[in-house]
Amino acid sequence: MDAEGFKEFGTEMMNFITEYLEGIRERKVLSSVKPGYLRELIPTEVPEEGEKWQDVMKDLERVIMPGVSHWQHPQFHAYLAAANSYPSIVADMLCGAIACTGFSWITSPACTELEIVMMDWLGKLLELPSKFLSCESNGVGGGVIQGAASEATFVALLAARAQAIRRIKSETGLDDGYIIGKLVAYTSDQSHTSVEKAGRLGGVKMRLLPTDEHLQVTLEVLMNAITEDKSKGLFPFYAVATSGTTNTCAFDDLEVFGDICRQENLWLHVDAAYAGAAFACEEFRYLMKGIDKAHSFNFNPHKWMLTNFDCSAMWVDNAKELEQTFEIDAIYLRHHAQGQVPDYRNWQIPFGRRFRSLKLWFVLRIYGKKAIQEHIRTHIALAHEFEQLLLKDGRFEIVAPVLMGLVCFRLKNRSNEENETLLKTVVERGKIYVVPTKVHGKYAIRFAICSKFTASVDMAIGFQEFSAAASDLFGKM
Amino acid sequence: MDAEGFKEFGTEMMNFITEYLEGIRERKVLSSVKPGYLRELIPTEVPEEGEKWQDVMKDLERVIMPGVSHWQHPQFHAYLAAANSYPSIVADMLCGAIACTGFSWITSPACTELEIVMMDWLGKLLELPSKFLSCESNGVGGGVIQGAASEATFVALLAARAQAIRRIKSETGLDDGYIIGKLVAYTSDQSHTSVEKAGRLGGVKMRLLPTDEHLQVTLEVLMNAITEDKSKGLFPFYAVATSGTTNTCAFDDLEVFGDICRQENLWLHVDAAYAGAAFACEEFRYLMKGIDKAHSFNFNPHKWMLTNFDCSAMWVDNAKELEQTFEIDAIYLRHHAQGQVPDYRNWQIPFGRRFRSLKLWFVLRIYGKKAIQEHIRTHIALAHEFEQLLLKDGRFEIVAPVLMGLVCFRLKNRSNEENETLLKTVVERGKIYVVPTKVHGKYAIRFAICSKFTASVDMAIGFQEFSAAASDLFGKM
């Protein structure tokens, strides 16, 4: 494909994309294809000769779109938001054109340096403690773009593990294998599955601590767990607190986690994958009180800040801990500026990385601070609007405080099975898509505000779906 | 930004991209900026109000381009190829527009199913054993797109570790921590740093075995290492063989690795990150003889198959091993088709994933088999052309067989320091970019064919650079 072919193809794709996104409301939000639908729609092998791009375009509606669940649909209320935006898509085009592999500074200094500065921009936007900013910590701390929050949790765990092994080894002379077998980490039973997974992959125990009525781990529970484990000869070394859980958007008390982790010498990582974006707004920063006591912090601009996946922003207060964990030397990797600049391969699990900071730069500049704040505030206001509709109806109860763009609710005085039937009925009607959770054993429906196209009318539509289905199933009252 | 703004911005970006790529020969291949150059070129914070996209475009040449080392430049001969192509860039636009998060099948069946089928297409293109193809193994084996080869190596190690722990535990009753401390894996001292890193992150010993004059691990060396470790009470469990090392593009003997791994019950992973693409051509498949004995295999279409990063193709002969390692349940993740289809989050480290198979689909269709084979063959022919220029000159020696698009050479009868001076002189002249390696203690220059713009003339240019610099430094003879 030559340059002219690319421009024609790209223009046609932009037409397709704008028609897709601007007309997305007309589509069915959840795909209803059967498993295995796609294989029979396309050939079984790579074609011998190249095909025309026009033939590829023709297949998008035939092959791909029937199997797409539309995350950008205004009535997609499942999981949590997955961002996209036009500036971000254009930035990714440039990223693909430059196609540098930024494993070290020399491979394209702009790739590393724009990332350092964008992470400072983002950190300032959230008013993170200065220890996390490269520009304010003289490069001791700093930010890095990971692929996903799950990677950030795992990266922090691996660095904490390496740190703990070094420390315990020097104090006790025990060997690595023995120490790994005795390491123990802590998180709440409300944490995302990827936190438990990080423990498993790291080969260490990850205790899921029970939560109180606010879905928080209390000081007592955390302290008792640590004391108990120490008395068993285990080595507590790492804790993950969540700011905005996937289940209900609950916030751990970072003061509680922070104080105990400092006292007991545990690495505290804060997973704010979804809700961290809200700290761009002053009025929500009370929820991150205690963040100065954390060693690492992460949130996903690719969830709620208009930036396409993959863009998971992670900060650490001491980058040396990452470098000591991940760095391995090779002659072909050396360069003249080593030591003066980060080589980001040593801040992450994979070796290669692309020029992801371009997305952030484009998005932060073209939207600006005010529009980003407005995007957050709009979603939260919509969630409260939906909450009010439910409460006014009288048949529903809200099972967790609505703090961000997520409403968790259920039919009052109805069993888990009845609530599950309600959810299934609504999803089968096909107008909106939601998934469930459980709160203290009670089945609840999660209604998340996800798309930037979601508006007030969609709260009415969503409410109507639940209200009508509830009436059909259980009568008006 | 509205749809019209996107189209204008995107059109302007396509113009920029085509001018950049079609005119890339005129640029200086290696960036010469000083560390920290970028910070002073841009503001220190996110702007309050959004800026015009035109202002962002204006900054590309001013801020970004001076700091880019041009991987797509025809005289970029460092590291190994990093692919890009116009069809791949267009596919990524669509990926960004759909912006689904494909952690489970239900989140967009097309995202999972196109990946399954594309991995079958790719596996057939390489003539991989049928056990690796989903379509021919009834879904027992199959492929998955990882972000990088380093992740594939680590994923396989984690699955092998889990498998080994289960087995040893059931045989001995030992606990996990003790077993992890005694696990040992094997690879060659020629392997990529990411293999050693996988061992470190997995908390297990990774032995880098010495290689013979062909830069291969011999049967004797591998067998002796395993026997020795077993006699020490260690548990051998995993081996990584490389098909095309980063150092010199050496190929491990997969028959040797395969036979011993089968016999000793080790998981064999084959890392063909760069050279695997060449198996699309029948005449290079002799280099993967023994692949049927491997448990997993990986190569990067984002290196040498015209597909943009990140697209690392990994196959396993038993997907259950991955799923058992990575799967963690949550109520919000359940769906009606579970068990009938892969949920790809359970085949990888991160939780989220994007619709990367679109890139493969576009590239494989728009190029077709013949053009892909021609791309590979052209690069290899160019490498041989460069090799001949060096040999004809008489002053240089080739230090490793030229099998793919990489030529490793040095000045004959000159010290390591003198060869290092030659490399530095050439890189400082700024016409081409190369990095060094060491072969059996001897400093060597790696000259890789990377860009799809690289042509015969660039072999002459590259040779001229070394020839002229050698003459300047050491005289004509």
Side-chain angles (χ1 to χ4, degrees), chain B residues 5 19 74 93 127 163 175 207 307 343 367 416 453 461 470:
Chain B
E19 277 165 32
M93 292 165 67
E127 292 202 359
Q163 186 190 56
D175 69 26
R207 285 188 62 178
T307 311
D343 282 337
Y367 284 96
N416 283 354
F453 299 116
I461 292 168

Side-chain angles (χ1 to χ4, degrees), chain B residues 342-362:
Chain B
D343 282 337
Y344 269 134
R345 74 177 178 284
N346 301 323
W347 294 47
Q348 65 175 21
I349 293 162
F351 180 80
R353 60 202 324 272
R354 42 187 210 122
F355 202 158
R356 293 182 287 207
S357 56
L358 287 171
K359 293 192 279 202
L360 269 180
W361 194 42
F362 280 38

